[in-house]
Amino acid sequence: MTHTPRSATYDLARVLLVDDDPTSRLTLQTVLEAGGYNVDAAASAAEAVGKLDTGEYELVLSDLQMECPDSGLKVIAHARMMDYKPATALVTTYQNHKAAPTRRQSSLLIKPEDIPGLLSKVADLISERATRRLERELRLAHV
């Protein structure tokens, strides 16, 4: 009888990956899963919103431009309204990302060509989210 270690099935950080390009989505999903993350993928902003409303994620990675130019921003805005407060970041393959919104520092633009850098940023975002969540819980416990 084989026994799967408990940590292998329960402790993977959940990531929601949103990208309308099937090649990019599958590539990023494969890279993230190989990096040890449990990845749900969505092909549109509407699909992503549905997944956000029914699941809980440590991180939401969304392509900036999908069915319309601000679809990615809508996904990120919806994710930030969730009670569980996932970390958020925009993924872009566009070379000219100066036009991309930078109103909030937590909206990172991640270029997927740099695989080690991508995995490092993902780990940092999930770690920062865990720290913020713990600090919030400690504050609430002392109120």
Side-chain angles (χ1 to χ4, degrees), residues 4-16 29-40 55-59 119 122-123 126-127 129-130 133:
T4 303
R6 184 178 165 122
S7 62
T9 56
Y10 295 107
D11 294 339
L12 297 178
R14 292 191 69 206
V15 175
L16 176 59
Q29 183 173 0
T30 302
V31 166
L32 291 167
E33 287 173 346
Y37 299 99
N38 181 353
V39 181
D40 282 349
E56 187 169 321
Y57 300 92
E58 280 73 31
L59 175 63
L119 291 173
V122 166
I126 290 173
S127 175
R129 180 217 180 235
R133 188 173 187 168

Side-chain angles (χ1 to χ4, degrees), residues 40-62:
D40 282 349
S44 69
E47 183 181 357
V49 166
K51 288 181 182 276
L52 285 165
D53 289 343
T54 59
E56 187 169 321
Y57 300 92
E58 280 73 31
L59 175 63
V60 177
L61 288 177
S62 180

